[in-house]
């Protein structure tokens, strides 16, 4: 008595869902505290014995779970309780809660089988409908197996809405329990014949989903689909049928001929854009052999591309990118619209057009397209800018730079990309710079030039996204130092004060490069002292520079030709030796920088004073670094420091003496260091490690997990971690080194003229020599977008360029032969193949094949009742786990009048229609026999059955012709 | 097929979620967070499609509400847009010029209507009339049960149990 009265109180004073929502909206307090309070209430209420209280509590919980993401897995048993209520209102809340919260591993799923079965077979159709809805989201293998017979019954329910839902549920059941196919599939196929468009919509929807996994088994149903394609006027159905055909057509070549005509008809006639687009898509993906159809589709695409609606423009571009692999001409034909879309306000449209543009890129037009894209990148927002850079990098780098002929150009392009203000593609550029250095010997000269330009600019050091690129540049400059025009300038660039902005790992690379360059300089100096005046130029660069000399000799005429023809690579001009004789005063003039009138020779002509001052400066700079906190920086700095001290002593000792006197000891040291660096590095195959035999006695751990325990707290050096510790060291070194630079400036023999030029221009970004301020991190954008005033003409320019380059598929005069790109035998980067999804041969399609295969004649079996499956059903019933369920049968339900049609007139209508349906169904087998007129003779007539003698053209004997 | 349906207000508040593919509660919150940021930030006059994690999200804004449907790449975007529109029209007929408040306070009704329109990630009912007829019939059923439950005799019977 007490319990029941409290439940009444609960019932009367319980917050309803409405109350909850209202008070939540009024809630001024924290939402999460309110939610947790409500949950407390719910936890109490849901244990109530009163079904009303319980179900209201569950409803509130469902709301909180669906909208606020509250966990409700703890209430799953209560969900089952509410589901089993006999009242529809409660039941509905229960089922709704189940479909929201249950998943495959919910333990109470085992308890609901009988409840679901009861509701599925309930005379109240709405109960069945609830159960079907629930089953469509939570069905598991067990549920599917146990409930398949009930589902089978509902597949032929007289209520269309129940039948529809049962059909949709079949999809999930097949997925979980493929054996259900043997029971339900025939009935599913029968529903294809239904005269009710709703039923057909549902069945076609199921077949559309089924065929997306593996289309092969459904080839046999092609005649049915074809009939629907020809006869249906319902766009929902037609779109799905087209999707099915798009998957079937590639499997059966003869199918294309049958469907192409109705599809073209839809393209021409239909006003529904969705249907037209679907038709276009199937033509370009699956019917590419049918030329006229493709032309029609492409003309439709063109209409979409220039439409006002951004949706259609997007879809037009999308369709083009689908067409691109097979019909590049379609893309080229519409290139104007594609290029125009690059300027669209919608980023999605821009990205689609970028993809298309990249699909157009070939050996002959890569230069032009990249140029224009880079200009677009300059004026775009950061996101799209990087999108552009990313696609250019990927496209150009694909299959070991397959489409790049002129590597000098490409290397300059990489340098240019790095200086684009929004560029964040540091990793890719870094990798490609180093990769090209190792793979393409002929590109190294230009690579070193680009690296030098990057290193020399102090403004770039402030940009976090450039650090990795600078790292690559420093490595390249050090590695190929013999190609560097002015090593002293390079050293200045590598030790400039702002390098303290670099993370330690990259600074270490800088320091290593300094060592390489320094040893090279000293080597040259010693050589030049040793050698005679007339021939020192041949020795100065060591043996490796011979390669370079040869290159200059052989290629110079071509380069001259290039410049004469008005090549557009301005940057090349800086270093085109226009004379084959190296000794001549060959000015490498740079138009912007008149100070830099220097010759190759004079740059490598080291005087004793210059070497001594170099050593002094390096000693000074690195003495402060020897107290650096990062171990990599510290160690390398110490090495250099010690090396310099060693060398300096001897060089200064010898200063006053005769030139003939040899620096024997130093010479040996420097030679050995040079030797260490002179070995050329090449690309390494990813499988290289595997080819090294494991030495005897070495035990390799299979499992390296225990490493974690050992070095778990050791952070791996990462380039993204920045140098923060020990500002006192950094500033100290900066102050001293910038003092040093200042001294240099006053000195007459200053080699690093361009660095000074930078200092003059960006004096703001240099540290004041007497103050140790923090270094400002902002820097002027390297490429000012405003400078490109003619950007609006770019679209036209690109259009023209692509036109030219695409029309002349091959350039008539190739300026240079493509240099050799080192590739490894086994291909470290295997050519990217076209991805082709393999159809999954799962048990589901196997079952469907079995079912379809066993039916020799579909129409015969269709008229028969499925006795086989019904016996199976009985067996299944026995198998079904009989759970001791206390759930009481609701006897009232059976007596209740059918609530579906409260309106008697509609009810009778329904009945009439049902009667009609039956008649149609009964007629159909006979009709089928009569309708033998071919699709060829009349498009609107039904197709013929499989065994028609009319069709004799069967070249492919594997699959029988199903269409005629 | 459709993987999920989301209704998000312009402020990023969730108004309805329906999942047709299995997503854990954690994943659900993440998806909602990601997508609401993605969709709401897009200006007007842009296309209604967003590529997202290899799937395609089709969204449409009605007044202050974004209706988002996520489906497979190869699904027809325009068809999905029509599904959204169909659902909105059905809601409109049911509520009589629907507004966001209707959906906030009748959250479960919006669900039931969605359930009649979509099932198992597929379009279920293309006729608005049929959908509304089914919804009305179910509501009658609920009302009848309620009347019975709240009748005086029932309360007395319960109290004296």
């Amino acid at each position: 008595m007490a319990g029941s009265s409290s439940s009444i109180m609960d019932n009367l004073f319980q917050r309803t869902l409405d109350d909850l929502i209202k008070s939540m909206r009024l809630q001024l307090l924290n939402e999460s505290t309110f939610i947790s309070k409500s949950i407390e209430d719910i936890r109490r209420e849901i244990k109530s014995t009163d079904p009303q209280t319980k179900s209201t509590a569950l409803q509130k919980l469902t709301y909180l779970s669906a909208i606020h993401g509250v966990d409700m897995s703890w209430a799953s048993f209560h969900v089952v309780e509410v589901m089993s209520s006999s009242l529809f209102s409660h039941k509905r809340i229960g089922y709704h809660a189940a479909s929201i919260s249950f998943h495959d591993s919910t333990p109470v799923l085992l308890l609901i089988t009988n409840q679901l079965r009861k509701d599925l077979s309930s005379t109240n159709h709405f109960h069945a409908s609830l159960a079907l809805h629930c089953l469509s989201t939570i069905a598991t293998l067990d549920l599917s197996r146990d409930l398949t017979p009930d589902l089978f019954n509902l597949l032929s329910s007289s209520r269309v809405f129940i039948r529809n839902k049962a059909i949709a549920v079949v999809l999930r059941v097949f997925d979980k329990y493929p054996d259900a196919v043997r029971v339900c599939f025939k009935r599913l196929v029968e529903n294809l014949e239904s005269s009710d468009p709703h039923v057909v919509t549902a069945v076609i929807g199921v077949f559309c989903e089924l065929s997306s996994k593996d289309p092969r088994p459904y080839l046999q149903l092609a005649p049915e689909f074809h009939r629907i394609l020809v006869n249906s006027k319902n766009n929902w159905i037609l779109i799905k049928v087209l999707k099915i055909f798009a998957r079937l057509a590639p499997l059966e070549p003869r199918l294309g001929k049958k469907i192409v005509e109705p599809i073209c008809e839809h393209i021409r006639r239909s006003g529904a854009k969705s249907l037209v687009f679907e038709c276009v898509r199937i033509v370009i993906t699956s019917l590419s052999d049918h030329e006229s159809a493709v032309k029609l589709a492409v003309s439709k695409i063109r209409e979409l591309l220039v439409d006002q609606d951004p949706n259609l423009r997007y879809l037009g571009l999308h369709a083009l990118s689908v067409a691109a692999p097979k019909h590049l001409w379609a893309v080229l034909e519409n290139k104007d619209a594609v290029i125009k879309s690059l300027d669209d306000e919608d980023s999605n449209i821009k990205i689609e057009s970028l993809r298309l543009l990249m699909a157009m890129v070939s050996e002959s037009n890569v230069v032009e397209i990249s140029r224009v894209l880079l200009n677009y990148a300059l004026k775009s927002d950061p996101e799209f800018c990087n999108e552009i850079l990313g696609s250019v990098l990927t496209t150009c780098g694909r299959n070991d730079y397959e489409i790049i002929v002129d590597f000098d150009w490409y290397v300059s392009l990489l340098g240019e990309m790095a200086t684009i203000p929004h560029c964040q593609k540091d990793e890719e550029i870094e990798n490609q710079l180093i990769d090209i250095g190792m793979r393409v010997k002929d590109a190294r000269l230009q690579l070193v030039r680009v690296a030098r330009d990057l290193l020399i600019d102090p403004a770039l050091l402030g940009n976090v996204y450039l650090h990795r690129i600078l790292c690559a540049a420093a490595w390249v400059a050090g590695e190929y130092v013999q190609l560097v025009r002015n090593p002293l300038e390079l050293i200045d660039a590598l030790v400039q004060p702002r390098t303290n902005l670099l993370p330690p790992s990259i600074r270490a690379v800088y320091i290593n490069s300094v060592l390489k360059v320094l040893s090279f300089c000293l080597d040259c100096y010693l050589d030049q002292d040793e050698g005679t005046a007339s021939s020192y130029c041949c020795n100065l660069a060591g043996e490796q520079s011979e390669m370079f000399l040869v290159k200059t000799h052989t290629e110079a005429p071509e380069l001259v030709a290039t410049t004469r023809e008005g090549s557009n690579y301005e940057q090349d001009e800086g270093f085109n030796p226009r004379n084959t004789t190296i000794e001549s005063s060959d000015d490498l003039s740079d138009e912007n920088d008149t100070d830099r009138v220097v010759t190759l020779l004079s740059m490598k002509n080291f005087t004793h004073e210059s070497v001594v001052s170099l050593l002094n400066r390096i000693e000074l700079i690195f003495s402060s670094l020897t107290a650096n906190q990062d171990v990599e920086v510290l160690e390398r700095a110490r090495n250099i420091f010690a090396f310099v001290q060693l060398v300096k002593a001897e060089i200064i000792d010898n200063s006053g003496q005769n030139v003939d006197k040899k620096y024997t000891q130093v010479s040996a040291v420097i030679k050995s260091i040079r030797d260490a660096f002179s070995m050329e590095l090449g690309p390494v195959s990813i499988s290289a490690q595997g080819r090294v035999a494991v030495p005897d006695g070495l035990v390799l751990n299979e499992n390296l997990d225990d490493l974690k325990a050992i070095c778990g707290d050791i952070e791996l050096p990462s380039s993204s971690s920045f140098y923060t510790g020990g500002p006192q060291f950094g500033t100290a070194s900066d102050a001293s080194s910038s003092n040093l630079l200042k001294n240099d400036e006053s000195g007459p023999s200053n080699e690093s003229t361009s660095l000074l030029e930078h200092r003059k221009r960006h004096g703001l970004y240099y540290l004041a020599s007497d103050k140790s301020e923090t270094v400002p991190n902002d820097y002027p954008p390297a490429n000012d977008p405003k400078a490109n005033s003619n950007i609006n003409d770019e679209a036209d320019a690109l259009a023209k360029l692509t036109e030219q380059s695409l029309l002349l598929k091959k350039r008539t005069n190739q300026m240079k032969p493509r240099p050799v790109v080192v590739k490894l035998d086994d291909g470290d980067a295997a050519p990217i193949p076209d991805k082709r999804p393999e159809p999954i041969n799962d048990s589901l399609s196997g079952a469907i094949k079995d079912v379809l295969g066993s039916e020799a004649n579909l129409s015969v079996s269709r008229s028969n009742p499925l006795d086989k499956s019904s016996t199976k059903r009985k067996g299944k019933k026995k198998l079904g786990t009989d759970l001791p369920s206390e759930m009481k049968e609701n006897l009232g339900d059976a007596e209740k009048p059918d609530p579906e049609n409260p309106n008697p007139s509609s009810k009778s209508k329904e009945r009439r229609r049902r009667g009609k349906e039956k008649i149609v169904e009964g007629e159909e087998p006979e009709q089928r026999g009569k309708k033998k007129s071919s699709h060829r003779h009349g498009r609107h007539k039904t197709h013929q059955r499989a065994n028609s003698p009319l069709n004799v053209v069967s070249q492919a004997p594997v699959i029988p012709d199903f269409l005629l | 097929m459709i993987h999920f349906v989301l209704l998000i207000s312009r402020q990023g508040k969730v108004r309805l979620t329906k999942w047709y593919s299995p997503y854990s509660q954690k994943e659900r919150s993440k998806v909602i967070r990601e997508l609401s940021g993605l969709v709401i930030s897009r200006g007007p006059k842009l296309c209604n499609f967003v590529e997202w994690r290899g799937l395609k999200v089709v969204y449409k804004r009605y007044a202050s509400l974004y209706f988002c449907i996520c489906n497979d790449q190869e699904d027809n975007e325009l068809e999905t847009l029509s599904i959204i529109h169909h659902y909105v029209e059905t809601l409109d007929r049911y509520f009589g010029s629907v507004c966001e408040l209707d959906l906030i306070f009748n959250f479960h009704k919006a669900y039931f209507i969605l359930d009649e329109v979509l099932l198992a990630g597929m379009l279920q009912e293309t006729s608005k009339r049929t959908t509304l007829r089914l919804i009305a019939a179910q509501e009658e059923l609920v009302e009848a049960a309620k009347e019975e439950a709240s009748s005086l005799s029932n309360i007395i019977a319960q109290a004296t149990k």
Side-chain angles (χ1 to χ4, degrees), chain A residues 66-67 69 88 92 96 100 126 133 136 164-165 198 209 243 274 278 281 311 314 346 348 901, chain B residues 1 14-15 17 25 28 42 47-49 51 74 76 111-112 115-116 119 124-125 133 138 141:
Chain A
I67 302 296
F88 178 74
R92 180 155 76 164
H96 186 212
I100 278 186
F126 289 106
H133 268 285
S136 79
N164 275 350
K165 287 178 183 176
H198 297 292
E209 290 304 322
K243 281 204 182 303
S274 52
E278 200 57 53
R281 183 145 60 179
N311 286 340
Y314 173 84
D346 191 337
N348 290 353
N901 294 311
Chain B
M1 69 175 269
V14 183
R15 297 301 179 212
T17 57
Q25 194 72 48
R28 290 179 186 183
R42 284 175 65 80
C47 73
N48 296 91
F49 319 125
E51 278 174 46
E74 65 262 34
N76 189 317
Y111 258 108
F112 297 144
D115 273 350
E116 292 302 330
L119 177 58
Q124 177 64 34
E125 184 52 73
R133 189 166 50 78
Q138 292 179 52
L141 206 59

Side-chain angles (χ1 to χ4, degrees), chain A residues 98-152:
Chain A
S99 60
I100 278 186
S101 66
F102 284 9
H103 48 88
D104 283 0
S105 51
T106 304
V108 292
L109 277 182
L110 296 169
L111 302 175
I112 62 171
T113 315
N114 275 340
Q115 181 62 40
L116 279 171
R117 179 176 296 141
K118 206 181 88 188
D119 286 329
L120 283 176
S121 50
S122 162
T123 47
N124 185 335
H125 293 292
F126 289 106
H127 287 197
S129 149
L130 286 181
L132 285 171
H133 268 285
C134 187
L135 208 54
S136 79
T137 41
I138 66 165
T140 57
L141 170 62
D142 290 335
L143 281 176
S144 304
R145 188 188 56 224
D146 297 340
L147 296 172
T148 297
D150 305 274
L151 197 59
F152 171 77

Side-chain angles (χ1 to χ4, degrees), chain A residues 174-442:
Chain A
F174 279 6
D175 186 38
K176 294 284 170 188
Y177 176 60
D179 275 350
V181 170
R182 297 180 211 289
V183 183
C184 297
F185 196 76
K186 281 177 192 167
R187 217 164 241 197
L188 193 65
V189 175
E190 280 167 34
N191 278 312
L192 273 177
E193 306 268 317
S194 167
S195 60
D196 190 319
H198 297 292
V199 175
V200 180
T201 313
V203 185
I204 286 292
V206 169
F207 278 115
C208 182
E209 290 304 322
L210 286 174
S211 66
S212 73
K213 288 185 187 110
D214 178 11
R216 282 170 298 174
Y218 312 100
L219 209 50
Q220 300 193 37
L221 294 171
E224 307 290 330
F225 298 142
H226 184 262
R227 179 178 55 77
I228 293 168
L229 175 69
V230 174
N231 292 336
S232 178
K233 298 276 178 287
N234 184 325
N235 289 343
W236 301 106
I237 297 177
L238 285 172
I239 288 173
K240 297 278 183 211
V241 169
L242 286 171
K243 281 204 182 303
I244 297 172
F245 273 121
R247 290 163 192 147
L248 295 183
L251 300 176
E252 171 54 71
R254 286 165 295 174
L255 212 49
K257 268 185 246 157
K258 305 286 174 195
I259 57 174
V260 71
E261 194 40 49
I263 288 174
C264 288
E265 199 60 25
H266 281 307
I267 295 183
R268 284 188 212 106
R269 296 265 173 86
S270 176
K273 289 272 194 281
S274 52
L275 178 60
V276 172
F277 180 67
E278 200 57 53
C279 292
V280 167
R281 183 145 60 179
I282 185 177
V283 169
I284 55 178
T285 53
S286 307
L287 303 172
S288 37
D289 301 338
H290 301 264
E291 210 173 299
S292 61
V294 172
K295 279 201 176 122
L296 182 65
V298 171
S299 74
K300 270 287 163 197
I301 293 177
R302 195 173 306 134
E303 282 173 33
L304 296 177
L305 285 174
V306 295
D307 203 283
Q308 288 293 308
D309 187 352
N311 286 340
L312 298 183
R313 286 205 303 274
Y314 173 84
L315 291 179
L317 289 171
H318 188 71
L320 268 192
S321 62
V322 172
K326 282 185 195 158
H327 313 283
L328 197 61
W329 60 270
V331 185
L332 301 182
E333 230 170 61
N334 293 297
K335 66 178 182 308
D336 294 350
V338 173
I339 290 162
K340 211 173 139 242
S341 309
L342 218 49
D343 257 342
D344 204 281
E345 55 181 329
D346 191 337
S347 59
N348 290 353
I349 293 181
K350 286 200 282 193
I351 287 174
E352 276 298 328
S353 87
L354 179 62
R355 278 182 202 161
L356 271 175
L357 220 46
M358 290 338 282
M360 276 195 255
V361 169
S362 70
E363 219 171 85
S364 52
N365 60 17
V366 59
V367 175
E368 289 87 350
I369 290 185
S370 307
R371 161 80 21 237
V372 177
L373 280 179
L374 239 57
N375 283 336
Y376 268 101
L378 267 175
K379 61 165 184 168
S380 311
D381 54 304
E383 198 185 337
F384 190 55
C385 168
N386 282 300
E387 200 73 47
I388 291 180
L389 297 183
S391 4
V392 172
L393 285 168
T394 338
T395 311
C396 292
R398 195 189 299 136
N399 295 344
D400 293 328
Y401 315 96
E402 196 175 43
I403 57 168
I404 306 292
V405 175
D406 183 354
F407 274 90
D408 286 356
W409 162 78
Y410 185 59
V411 167
S412 320
L413 186 84
L414 287 177
E416 219 176 302
M417 280 187 194
T419 51
I420 287 176
H422 297 308
C423 172
Q424 293 176 10
K425 293 283 163 195
D426 47 343
E427 193 179 342
E428 287 90 334
I429 297 179
E430 177 198 21
N431 290 340
Q432 292 202 358
L433 282 176
I434 293 177
D435 196 43
I436 291 176
M438 292 192 295
R439 284 182 196 274
V440 193
K441 230 175 188 175
D442 292 350

Side-chain angles (χ1 to χ4, degrees), chain A residues 773-835:
Chain A
E773 302 167 329
T774 50
V775 185
N777 247 340
D778 50 340
Y779 65 101
N783 275 330
D784 194 359
K786 282 164 201 151
N788 296 298
S789 52
N790 58 341
I791 211 111
N792 290 332
D793 306 331
E794 293 292 353
D796 301 335
L798 181 58
K800 271 179 209 151
L801 284 170
T802 48
E803 190 159 26
Q804 290 164 3
S805 55
L806 293 168
L807 284 179
L808 321 163
K809 256 303 178 203
K810 202 81 185 170
R811 280 277 179 82
T812 42
N813 52 341
Q814 205 82 48
M815 305 210 176
K816 275 192 259 177
R818 187 171 188 265
V820 183
V821 179
V822 178
K823 286 188 190 180
L824 299 163
D825 303 338
D826 54 349
D828 47 338
I832 299 151
D834 285 340
K835 273 179 233 158

